[in-house]
């Protein structure tokens, strides 16, 4: 039989925060136990009803629709630490998440619009065997998903993209790797999450807007290659501190999942 | 039968325009909320006497428009004191003047004014007695606390008259006393010393059949009970002096009279149930069963499309009373306390029907469902077998604490074992749960994780289903939250999820 602790008769409706503190350190972080809740007369849960009664007593009660606090759908928040943006709809939230947090490289924290591009990025940028292998055989995969072509250099691939797939010459997710950069970038504030180009670092803060513009310009091409990516996340131009490792994508880096925890 | 009969104390005339009314109401609401925070939420009721009908409403409106001056008061008091003349007429004009609250202070400052009035109240002239009581009623409605204090010499007479036989006059005395009660603690102390609770008991006994008197008694009692010291000083007396059966009997809407008396009785019972007294007396007198059966009846009426204005004024205290009595230690077993399982459907039904107009009431009905289901597998299985789960899940996206209550309820059910968890999973709990995991309110996320944990630990299917819903990504995301408690919970669940299924992704 579970009753509210008589010592705190207010009936802790909110419950859990207190519980979680109390139990921390024990084996399980889970604290939920069903309990009947007693609520004393002056608890805030009773406020609206009390007010309604007193309006009735004062002859001011009425069914005034416009004043009633119609229930709202709860807000959603991006749980990624350092992001914490709020969204009034689940759609808006999911759009934000897939744009900024879904395909993220765990090593350099660049964010990609598709898993395919992220995989290619990880392979070409962070796989130490890649360069060695690339000298022996064609290793540069075409960026268009489903196209089996492979090339011996990124320039060759670029030509292929332009000629075969009508890609723009400055396709944003096909920046060649510059040898020094990853090292220099370590510990440096990453101003360009999306952009892998050097000029991207200059327009910090508006990086996503600029990305969105490019994205718009080459909308058709991108559609072809990444049918899943249709969003234009202009409203979420917010940068995430570099100290933060985030996103589902990050677990697919070369560091192991366990290690990350 | 369910209508809220606008009895004599409905001061809202047809002349008041709705916009004006709304504005006034909004302002009043703001004041009331502040007052509640200051723990001084009081209201007074002004009885517009049915007697006035004899005089005609026109005179009445004219009088209230005409600005009354303190000179008039002096003049009238002179007439009353010098004697002779028709005192009843003078008192009537005094009452008209007293309709303007500004005059109240002038009146009590006037030398000898209250003693004269009390003299007429206690005198042998019956008509003067009634008129003096009406004047006092006007004074008791004054917003100025000093006026109420000045009226104190009249209270022994008002209390004495409660045992009288004339219903209308008794009502007048009761509402006057009720208004005075609201004023301040010294006033209430004085009234209690004069035996007001006992006087109320004998008043109900004398006017057994009259619902109007019952309403007035319950109004006065509710004023005493909801006061700060009501719990400690008044509630024990009410329990021992045998008022409960009268209040329980009052929870019967009357085809003629409407629900006014039931509303007042229900609020008294709520005040009793929500303070720290021994609730066993309330339960043994059948309050729980009466409240629940009335709620069932009301829900049936509402379900037939007959939602009358003001019905929530009755539903609200009934729900609260039930909720608190179910939570009390006096209620050992909720299945024994509430025998009629239909109350569960009724509560869930209300939670939807009142949602648009009174979302706070929705939360309160869910709170009662929580109290029913917390310790009882029987109520949990009733919830599932009555098909109430889909309705509850619809409420999960809503804010204002509604989603937390729903999560507590499904948590109660899940806690009862793997069969229950499986039924929740099959009932479609996981998709909305994936949404609540993404909500901003940390309490909602915490409860969602707790419920999810109960589901995946007790049934393999829940884990698979959750992975299928792409729920894993939500958990991974929570692991990057800045809230450590959330991270721990999310990580623990990730470890529990079926790995084979997870790797397929």
């Amino acid at each position: 039989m579970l009753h509210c602790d008589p010592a705190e008769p207010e009936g802790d409706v909110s419950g859990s925060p207190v519980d979680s503190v109390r139990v921390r350190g024990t084996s399980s972080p889970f604290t939920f136990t069903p309990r009947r809740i007693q609520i004393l007369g002056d608890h805030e849960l009773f406020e609206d009803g009390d007010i309604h009664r007193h309006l009735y007593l004062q002859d001011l009660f009425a069914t005034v629709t416009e004043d009633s606090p119609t229930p709202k759908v709860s807000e959603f928040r991006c749980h990624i630490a350092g992001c914490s943006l709020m969204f009034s709809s689940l759609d808006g939230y999911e759009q934000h998440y897939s744009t900024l947090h879904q395909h993220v490289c765990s090593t350099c924290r660049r964010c990609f619009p598709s898993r395919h591009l992220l995989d290619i990025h990880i392979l070409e940028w962070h796989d130490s065997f890649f360069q060695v292998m690339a000298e022996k055989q064609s290793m540069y995969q075409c960026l268009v998903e489903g196209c089996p072509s492979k090339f011996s250099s990124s320039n060759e691939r670029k030509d292929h993209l332009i000629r075969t797939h009508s890609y723009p010459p400055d396709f944003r997710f096909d920046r060649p790797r510059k040898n020094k950069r990853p090292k220099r970038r370590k510990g440096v504030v990453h101003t360009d999450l999306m952009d892998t180009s050097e000029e991207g670092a200059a327009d910090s803060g508006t990086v996503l807007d600029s990305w969105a513009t490019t994205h718009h310009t080459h909308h058709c091409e991108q559609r072809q290659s990444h049918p899943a990516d249709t969003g234009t996340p202009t409203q979420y131009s917010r940068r995430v501190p570099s100290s933060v490792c985030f996103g589902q994508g990050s677990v697919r880096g070369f560091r192991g999942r366990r290690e990350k925890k | 039968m369910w209508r809220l009969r606008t009895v004599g104390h409905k001061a809202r005339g047809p002349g008041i325009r709705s916009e004006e009314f709304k504005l006034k109401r909004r302002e009043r609401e703001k004041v009331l909320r502040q007052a509640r925070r200051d723990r001084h939420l009081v209201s007074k009721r002004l009885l517009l006497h049915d007697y006035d009908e004899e005089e005609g409403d026109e005179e009445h409106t004219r009088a209230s428009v005409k600005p009354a001056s303190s000179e008039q008061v002096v003049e009238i008091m002179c007439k009353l004191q010098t004697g002779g003349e028709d005192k009843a007429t003078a008192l009537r004009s005094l009452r008209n003047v007293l309709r303007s609250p500004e005059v109240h202070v002038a009146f009590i400052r006037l030398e000898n004014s209250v003693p004269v009035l009390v003299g007429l109240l206690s005198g042998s002239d019956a008509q003067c007695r009634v008129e003096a009581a009406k004047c006092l009623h006007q004074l008791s409605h004054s917003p100025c606390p000093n006026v109420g204090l000045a009226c104190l010499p009249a209270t022994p007479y008002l209390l004495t008259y409660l045992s009288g036989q004339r219903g209308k006059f008794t009502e007048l005395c009761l509402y006057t006393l009720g208004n005075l009660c609201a004023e301040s603690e010294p006033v209430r102390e004085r009234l209690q010393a004069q035996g007001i609770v006992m006087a109320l008991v004998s008043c109900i006994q004398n006017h057994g059949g009259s619902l109007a008197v019952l309403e007035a008694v319950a109004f006065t009692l509710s004023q005493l009970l909801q006061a700060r010291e009501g719990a400690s000083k008044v509630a024990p007396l009410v329990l021992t002096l045998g008022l409960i059966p009268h209040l329980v009997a009052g929870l019967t809407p009357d085809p003629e009279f409407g629900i006014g008396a039931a509303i007042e009785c229900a609020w008294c019972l709520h005040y009793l149930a929500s303070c720290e007294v021994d609730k066993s007396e309330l339960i043994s007198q059948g309050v729980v069963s009466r409240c629940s059966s009335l709620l069932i009846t009301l829900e049936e009426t509402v379900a037939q499309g007959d939602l009358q204005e003001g019905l929530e004024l009755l539903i609200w205290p009934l729900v609260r009373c039930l909720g608190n009595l179910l939570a009390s230690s006096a209620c050992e077993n909720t299945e024994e306390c509430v025998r009629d399982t239909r109350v569960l459907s009724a509560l869930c039904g209300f939670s939807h029907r009142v949602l648009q107009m009174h979302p706070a009431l929705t939360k309160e009905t869910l709170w009662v469902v929580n109290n029913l289901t917390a310790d009882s597998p029987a109520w949990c299985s009733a919830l599932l077998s009555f098909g109430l789960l889909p309705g509850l899940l619809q409420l999960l996206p809503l804010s204002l604490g509604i989603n937390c209550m729903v999560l507590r309820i499904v948590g109660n059910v899940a806690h009862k074992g793997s069969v229950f968890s499986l039924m929740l999973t099959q009932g479609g709990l996981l998709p909305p749960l994936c949404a609540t995991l993404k909500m901003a309110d940390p309490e909602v996320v915490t409860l969602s994780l707790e419920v999810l944990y109960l589901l995946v630990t007790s049934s393999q299917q829940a884990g698979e289903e959750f992975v299928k819903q792409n729920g894993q990504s939500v958990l991974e995301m929570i692991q990057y939250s800045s809230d450590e408690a959330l991270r721990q919970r999310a990580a623990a669940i990730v470890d529990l999820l079926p790995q084979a299924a997870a790797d397929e992704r």
Side-chain angles (χ1 to χ4, degrees):
Chain A
M1 189 88 354
L2 286 153
H3 294 293
C4 249
D5 187 354
E8 27 175 16
E10 283 265 328
D12 177 21
V13 181
S14 55
S16 32
V18 187
D19 298 353
S20 65
V21 174
R22 203 181 294 147
V23 187
R24 189 168 300 165
T26 61
S27 55
S28 170
F30 296 96
T31 53
F32 179 82
T33 37
R35 59 200 177 98
R36 297 189 231 159
I37 300 167
Q38 183 156 12
I39 298 178
L40 287 193
D42 49 6
H43 193 280
E44 61 173 19
L45 179 75
F46 284 168
E47 178 171 326
D48 283 6
D50 285 356
I51 301 299
H52 194 68
R53 163 160 174 81
H54 279 267
L55 285 173
Y56 161 69
L57 289 180
Q58 300 190 1
D59 296 319
L60 282 162
F61 120 94
T63 36
V64 185
T65 328
E66 56 150 27
D67 285 359
S68 61
T70 11
K72 283 182 299 224
V73 169
S74 270
E75 288 189 305
F76 297 88
R77 187 202 294 276
C78 180
H79 290 294
I80 305 291
C83 182
S84 305
L85 283 182
M86 297 280 276
F87 303 91
S88 56
S89 75
L90 192 55
D91 271 357
Y93 162 79
E94 281 176 345
Q95 176 65 42
H96 157 84
Y97 182 77
S98 64
T99 310
L100 273 185
H101 303 309
Q102 198 153 29
H103 305 288
V104 181
C105 170
S106 68
T107 315
C108 64
R109 286 163 213 157
R110 283 176 179 80
C111 175
F112 292 87
S114 77
R115 184 176 174 162
H116 180 65
L117 286 176
L118 174 63
D119 287 342
I120 294 177
H121 161 83
I122 292 173
L123 188 69
E124 294 177 10
W125 285 56
H126 307 298
D127 188 343
S128 40
F129 289 107
F130 180 82
Q131 296 297 338
V132 185
M133 299 280 282
E135 285 168 20
K136 292 175 187 162
Q137 50 179 295
S138 295
M139 284 291 285
Y140 289 90
Q141 294 175 51
C142 178
L143 297 184
V144 178
E145 234 172 326
C147 174
S149 313
K150 289 193 172 184
F151 310 92
S152 56
S153 75
S154 60
N155 276 335
E156 246 178 69
R157 173 172 64 194
K158 192 172 175 177
D159 289 343
H160 163 81
L161 280 172
I162 295 167
R163 264 186 281 108
T164 316
H165 300 293
S166 317
Y167 264 45
D170 60 343
F171 181 58
R172 193 161 273 256
F173 301 104
D174 182 29
R175 301 291 183 192
R177 183 183 181 188
K178 290 186 181 142
N179 281 330
K180 276 185 181 174
R181 282 192 60 185
K183 271 182 195 164
R184 198 192 68 192
R185 289 211 152 213
K186 265 193 183 162
V188 174
V189 176
H190 290 278
T191 48
D192 50 344
L193 283 165
M194 309 293 301
D195 197 338
T196 56
S197 69
E198 259 179 339
E199 57 268 34
D203 53 18
S204 60
T206 56
V207 155
L208 283 179
D209 292 332
S210 76
W211 176 81
T213 327
T214 328
H215 186 80
H216 264 310
T217 323
H218 313 298
H219 197 64
C220 301
E221 291 89 342
Q222 289 218 9
R223 264 270 158 88
Q224 278 179 349
S225 53
H226 317 292
D229 174 38
T230 53
T232 48
T234 40
Q235 66 264 51
Y236 315 123
S237 60
R238 178 71 73 91
R239 285 177 293 116
V240 181
S242 64
S243 54
V244 176
C245 183
F246 53 78
Q248 178 193 0
S250 61
V251 298
R252 291 195 284 110
F254 281 104
R255 275 185 260 159
R257 172 182 276 211
R258 295 282 150 200
E259 205 182 308
K260 178 185 57 72
K261 276 182 209 161
Chain B
M1 175 162 185
W2 303 107
R3 89 210 130 91
L4 178 64
R5 210 184 64 128
T6 46
V7 272
H9 41 69
K10 291 263 114 181
R12 181 165 28 124
I16 302 175
R17 297 184 84 204
S18 70
E19 275 310 308
E20 207 176 303
F21 175 73
K22 276 180 194 166
L23 189 71
K24 192 178 168 198
R25 183 183 186 275
R26 227 171 292 155
E27 277 166 12
R28 201 61 218 158
E29 191 181 323
K30 211 191 281 172
V31 173
L32 284 174
R33 285 191 192 276
Q34 186 55 48
R36 191 181 187 277
R37 249 164 265 142
D38 301 341
R39 305 189 63 180
H40 188 72
L41 181 61
V42 291
S43 291
K44 298 178 176 188
R45 255 184 158 178
L46 186 61
L47 210 53
L48 289 186
H49 314 289
D50 293 350
Y51 314 85
D52 289 345
E53 285 160 20
E54 302 151 25
E55 300 157 27
D57 270 355
E58 275 177 50
E59 182 212 348
H60 164 204
T61 24
R62 247 185 288 126
S64 58
V65 171
K66 209 191 300 168
S69 65
S70 24
E71 286 80 41
Q72 279 174 293
V73 181
V74 177
E75 197 183 304
I76 296 166
M77 287 314 289
C78 278
K79 275 189 206 165
L80 282 174
Q81 271 172 299
T82 49
E85 269 218 55
D86 187 358
K87 283 188 180 170
T89 318
L91 279 171
R92 201 168 293 160
S93 40
L94 176 64
R95 169 161 58 91
N96 278 335
V97 174
L98 287 175
R99 283 201 172 116
S100 329
E102 312 83 63
V103 183
H104 293 170
V105 181
F107 174 82
I108 60 160
R109 283 202 186 136
L110 211 62
E111 207 184 328
N112 223 16
S113 58
V114 175
V116 167
L117 198 56
V118 173
L120 289 162
L121 177 75
S122 55
S124 53
D125 185 331
Q127 211 186 348
C128 281
R129 194 183 277 186
V130 173
E131 288 303 327
K134 286 182 189 173
C135 290
L136 280 163
H137 180 68
Q138 285 290 348
L139 287 169
S140 77
H141 194 258
S142 169
C144 171
N146 287 337
V147 178
L149 282 172
C151 293
L152 276 184
T155 55
Y157 299 104
L158 292 170
L159 287 168
T160 311
Y161 295 151
L162 292 189
S163 48
Q165 291 305 316
R166 232 181 121 239
K168 293 270 181 204
F169 185 58
T170 311
E171 271 183 70
L172 183 62
C173 296
L174 282 166
Y175 281 112
T176 308
L177 286 165
N179 286 345
L180 292 174
C181 281
E183 204 60 74
S184 61
E185 199 173 337
V187 176
R188 286 189 293 271
E189 264 172 21
R190 175 81 74 90
L191 284 167
Q192 267 175 265
Q194 292 169 352
I196 184 166
V197 181
M198 198 56 228
L200 292 175
V201 177
S202 58
C203 180
I204 291 193
Q205 282 162 354
N206 286 342
H207 296 268
S210 166
L211 285 171
V213 172
L214 179 61
E215 180 178 5
V217 168
F219 165 76
T220 308
L221 189 61
S222 76
Q223 296 282 61
L224 288 168
L225 284 171
Q226 74 142 21
R228 216 176 296 186
E229 75 285 356
S232 54
K233 291 183 181 159
V234 186
L237 266 181
V238 173
L239 290 170
T240 49
L241 289 178
L243 263 167
I244 306 301
H246 295 287
L247 295 174
V248 173
L251 293 183
T252 318
D254 183 85
E256 278 292 298
F257 186 78
I259 57 172
I263 290 175
E264 296 309 314
C265 291
W267 279 93
C268 285
L269 291 171
H270 152 58
Y271 291 132
L272 287 167
S274 66
C275 64
E276 292 172 90
V277 290
D278 181 17
K279 313 282 164 54
S280 49
E281 184 73 8
L282 286 169
I283 292 174
S284 64
Q285 304 264 14
V287 176
V288 171
S289 53
R290 187 73 203 106
C291 282
S292 41
S293 69
L294 184 53
L295 281 171
I296 293 166
T297 321
L298 285 171
E299 215 277 331
E300 281 165 2
T301 318
V302 175
Q304 286 159 14
D306 195 16
L307 181 55
Q308 294 278 341
E309 186 185 355
L311 211 52
E312 75 282 353
L313 289 162
L314 178 57
I315 298 168
W316 225 311
L318 291 174
V319 163
R320 289 179 177 187
C321 186
L322 187 58
N324 267 327
L325 289 181
L326 288 174
S328 72
S329 49
C331 174
E332 283 279 313
N333 185 335
T334 49
E335 294 147 44
E336 272 170 30
C337 263
V338 188
R339 293 192 177 274
D340 195 337
T341 48
R342 285 178 301 165
V343 76
L344 192 63
S345 317
L347 289 167
C348 291
F350 281 134
S351 68
H352 282 272
R353 290 183 213 291
V354 299
L355 182 62
Q356 288 308 316
M357 292 298 294
H358 307 289
L361 181 51
T362 296
K363 185 172 174 186
E364 290 184 33
T365 56
L366 294 172
W367 158 62
V368 183
V369 176
N370 169 72
N371 283 359
L372 276 175
T373 52
D375 304 325
S376 158
W379 282 111
C380 288
S381 70
L383 186 101
L384 294 169
S385 59
F386 293 171
L388 300 172
L389 183 65
L392 287 176
L393 296 185
Q394 278 173 25
L395 298 173
L396 262 184
L398 298 174
S399 60
L400 297 169
I402 291 173
N403 42 18
C404 286
M405 274 302 171
V406 177
L407 285 167
R408 282 192 169 276
I409 295 167
V410 291
N412 291 342
V413 178
H415 200 264
K416 301 293 176 290
S418 54
V419 180
F420 287 92
S421 294
L422 193 62
M423 287 176 84
L424 287 174
T425 310
Q426 288 164 351
L429 172 58
L430 284 170
L433 201 60
C434 285
T436 54
L437 282 171
K438 294 168 192 162
M439 281 178 183
D441 185 351
E443 195 195 338
V444 174
V445 180
T446 308
L447 280 169
S448 305
L449 287 168
E450 294 279 355
V451 171
L452 182 62
Y453 173 75
L454 289 172
L455 293 183
V456 297
T457 44
S458 58
S459 102
Q460 172 94 12
Q461 196 189 331
E464 286 163 9
E465 177 73 21
F466 183 70
V467 172
K468 230 181 272 172
Q469 296 284 340
N470 202 11
Q472 225 187 1
S473 66
V474 187
L475 291 182
E476 278 169 5
M477 184 185 67
I478 294 175
Q479 290 179 70
Y480 293 100
S481 158
S482 51
D483 186 332
E484 193 199 336
L486 288 185
R487 284 204 305 271
Q488 283 180 347
R489 286 184 170 98
I493 296 176
V494 167
D495 289 343
L496 287 168
L497 290 177
Q499 280 309 306
D503 292 342
E504 271 171 35
R505 281 182 60 251

